[in-house]
């Protein structure tokens, strides 16, 4: 999700000792390798599809056994009053980082990632769009993951953050992005052994076919970001043709939705249109990038839109 600046620190603080005690108590089998195989990166799943050992972002999100055995972590998450999607503890080994990237997948169009550091040291730096911060233990941060960002663990110890994805409520966004009061007036969330808070988790149910209104929203958002890698007549002409292709795609998808609905009838017609747009867009998008993060226009179209147009079955 795009934000108005790279980082926002939320005016709330958590019990570091309790956070660290619960995380340290997790058994070794709670930790699994990063799904992309990044060396030195591992995670413990806290909220996942079905509460299982999966990194899927589709389906009913539920607490895992690791979160069930961590009552303060649950209290921390429930206290924000938002609906949580996939959430994990993410660990970086000493001297390891997360390579620079931008999060362009469909999942991130409407979601932001909350970071609450648990184990960290001043040598750990989070970089986003030319800015760099150290997120201290017990703090809460969000950042604009549409911009290019990376992390460096320059410490001689593991860095572990609680990271949780949400679309957020209006109250959450006011809390997160308004001018904060002085730090000594920030809310502190103490460990409450008697608390049994309700944790809200996402039910990411997809229709078999993406509705026309969502396609129009996603494509329109992409179109506002298109820029030229080099300002040449060829690139300008290609950009104009790419724009026309996207406009036509939205119009034709709307007609197919009007004819078949979005419950799954006429899947083949939808797939044929998506495939035709994919083949036409690939060469036209050469030399076109996203203004904010310089990601390739075709790659964003593919990952944010085309890959998600038709599900094998509704979930």
């Amino acid at each position: 999700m795009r934000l108005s600046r790279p980082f926002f620190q939320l005016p709330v603080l958590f019990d570091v000792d309790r956070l660290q005690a619960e995380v340290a108590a997790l058994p070794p089998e709670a930790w699994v390798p990063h799904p992309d195989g990044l060396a030195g990166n591992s995670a413990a799943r806290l909220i996942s599809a079905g509460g299982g050992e999966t990194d899927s972002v589709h389906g009913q999100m539920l607490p895992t056994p690791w979160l069930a055995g961590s009552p303060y972590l649950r209290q921390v998450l429930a206290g924000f009053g938002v609906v949580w999607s996939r959430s994990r503890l993410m660990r970086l080994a000493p001297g390891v980082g997360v390579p620079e990237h931008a999060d362009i997948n469909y999942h991130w169009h409407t979601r932001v990632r909350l970071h609450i550091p648990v184990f960290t040291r001043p040598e750990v730096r989070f970089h986003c769009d030319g800015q760099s911060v150290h997120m201290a233990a017990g703090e809460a941060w969000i950042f604009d993951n549409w911009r290019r960002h990376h992390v460096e663990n320059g410490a001689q110890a593991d860095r572990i953050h609680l990271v949780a994805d949400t679309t957020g409520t209006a109250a959450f966004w006011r809390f997160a992005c308004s001018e904060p009061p002085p730090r000594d007036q920030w809310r502190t969330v103490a460990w409450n052994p008697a608390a049994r808070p309700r944790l809200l988790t996402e039910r990411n149910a997809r229709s078999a076919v993406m509705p026309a209104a969502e396609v129009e929203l996603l494509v329109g958002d992409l179109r506002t970001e298109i820029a030229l890698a080099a300002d040449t007549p060829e690139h300008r002409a290609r950009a104009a043709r790419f724009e026309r292709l996207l406009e036509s795609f939205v119009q034709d998808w709307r007609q197919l939705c009007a004819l078949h609905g979005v419950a799954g009838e006429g899947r083949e017609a939808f797939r044929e249109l998506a495939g035709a747009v994919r083949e036409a867009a690939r060469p036209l998008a050469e030399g076109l990038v996203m203004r904010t993060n310089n990601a390739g226009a075709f790659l964003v179209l593919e990952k944010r839109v085309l890959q998600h147009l038709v599900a094998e079955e509704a979930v």
Side-chain angles (χ1 to χ4, degrees), residues 148-232:
R148 299 197 67 80
H149 57 276
H150 68 283
V151 184
E152 297 173 335
N153 181 7
Q156 297 302 307
D158 286 343
R159 183 230 72 171
I160 300 176
H161 281 197
L162 167 59
V163 296
D165 303 345
T166 183
T167 58
T169 61
F172 171 85
W173 286 110
R174 286 193 296 270
F175 181 69
C177 298
S178 297
E179 188 64 29
R183 190 178 175 102
D184 60 4
Q185 298 177 24
W186 290 8
R187 178 166 60 94
T188 298
V189 179
W191 159 236
N192 180 0
R196 299 292 184 271
R198 182 188 177 202
L199 187 67
L200 306 176
T201 55
E202 185 175 291
R203 183 176 186 271
N204 191 358
R206 296 182 297 166
S207 58
V209 172
M210 186 181 290
E214 186 174 6
V215 171
E216 185 170 7
L217 173 68
L218 292 171
V219 171
D221 185 71
L222 185 155
R223 290 172 68 184
T224 65
E225 275 281 301
I226 293 174
L228 305 179
D231 190 4
T232 66

Side-chain angles (χ1 to χ4, degrees), residues 75-302:
Q75 181 182 334
V76 165
L77 290 171
F80 286 94
V82 300
V83 178
W84 295 110
S85 183
R86 183 182 60 176
S87 303
R88 295 168 287 180
L89 294 164
M90 299 191 75
R91 182 172 64 183
L92 289 178
V96 169
V98 176
E100 185 177 67
H101 66 287
D103 295 315
I104 62 175
N105 290 319
Y106 172 82
H107 174 79
W108 293 112
H109 183 70
T110 57
R111 294 175 183 83
V112 71
R113 172 163 286 177
L114 175 77
H115 277 250
I116 298 176
V118 179
F119 289 97
T120 188
R121 296 192 179 183
E123 299 89 343
V124 178
R125 304 295 298 183
F126 202 117
H127 303 264
C128 183
D129 198 26
Q131 296 187 23
S132 171
V133 300
H134 169 65
M135 302 177 180
E139 296 179 344
W141 293 76
I142 59 174
F143 72 100
D144 185 345
N145 59 353
W146 175 253
R147 309 184 198 216
R148 299 197 67 80
H149 57 276
H150 68 283
V151 184
E152 297 173 335
N153 181 7
Q156 297 302 307
D158 286 343
R159 183 230 72 171
I160 300 176
H161 281 197
L162 167 59
V163 296
D165 303 345
T166 183
T167 58
T169 61
F172 171 85
W173 286 110
R174 286 193 296 270
F175 181 69
C177 298
S178 297
E179 188 64 29
R183 190 178 175 102
D184 60 4
Q185 298 177 24
W186 290 8
R187 178 166 60 94
T188 298
V189 179
W191 159 236
N192 180 0
R196 299 292 184 271
R198 182 188 177 202
L199 187 67
L200 306 176
T201 55
E202 185 175 291
R203 183 176 186 271
N204 191 358
R206 296 182 297 166
S207 58
V209 172
M210 186 181 290
E214 186 174 6
V215 171
E216 185 170 7
L217 173 68
L218 292 171
V219 171
D221 185 71
L222 185 155
R223 290 172 68 184
T224 65
E225 275 281 301
I226 293 174
L228 305 179
D231 190 4
T232 66
E234 180 185 355
H235 284 172
R236 287 196 297 272
R238 191 178 290 129
R241 293 169 61 195
F242 189 64
E243 287 267 2
R244 290 194 296 272
L245 174 68
L246 295 180
E247 183 177 10
S248 298
F249 164 52
V250 169
Q251 293 166 342
D252 290 343
W253 194 267
R254 188 184 299 122
Q255 281 291 283
L256 285 179
C257 287
L259 178 63
H260 297 294
V262 297
E265 294 182 15
R267 268 195 177 95
E268 193 54 39
F270 286 106
R271 289 196 184 100
E272 286 178 4
L273 176 56
V277 171
R278 179 179 286 108
E279 292 305 308
R282 194 187 306 272
L284 286 179
E286 184 179 346
L288 305 182
V289 297
M290 296 293 98
R291 185 174 291 104
T292 302
N293 56 31
N294 212 40
F298 177 78
L299 182 62
V300 175
L301 175 66
E302 175 70 14

